[in-house]
Amino acid sequence: GALILCNQIQELDLDYNNIGDIGAVALSEALRNCPSLFRLNVGENSIGDKGATALSGALIHCNQIRTLYLGSNNISDIGSVALCEALRNCPRLHDLRIHWNYIGDRGKAALTEAAKTLSVDVRGLEDGEQYPSSLMLLLQSHSSH
């Protein structure tokens, strides 16, 4: 509720709060009223595909976003593909951390393709290759723990 009134908020750090999908869905509703947000950290929150998809939908209202931390959650291919759809609306995003999730080959391919369509060189893909992008993709699945 309180975030609905915070249209000037620029940074939101909610890591380690165990908000899960229910909290991520509620947060996504509030983020629609945060057009000035440039940094969001929701790492370590047990967010799954439902929460990631909801947050992705909110990103279209946060076109100033530059940094998005989603690491150490429960996001799989479904959530990462939804995130890729939202990235088209985030031209300033340059740091996406989505490591330590359950992203498989389909999600990694979608994230890699999204990175190729953007414009800044970045390192951080699992295989060490460079792609033109405005994202730092740290793609490391739980299977490689």
Side-chain angles (χ1 to χ4, degrees), residues 55-88:
L55 289 170
S56 297
L59 288 177
I60 63 171
H61 302 282
C62 301
N63 62 4
Q64 300 298 313
I65 194 96
R66 294 187 298 239
T67 304
L68 179 60
Y69 296 154
L70 291 164
S72 298
N73 280 295
N74 298 318
I75 302 167
S76 75
D77 288 345
I78 295 167
S80 59
V81 169
L83 184 61
C84 289
E85 295 294 318
L87 296 181
R88 293 184 205 139

Side-chain angles (χ1 to χ4, degrees), residues 21-44:
D21 283 336
I22 293 171
V25 169
L27 177 62
S28 70
E29 291 298 317
L31 290 178
R32 296 174 192 276
N33 298 303
C34 298
S36 300
L37 187 70
F38 68 82
R39 182 178 180 277
L40 176 63
N41 181 355
V42 289
E44 299 275 350

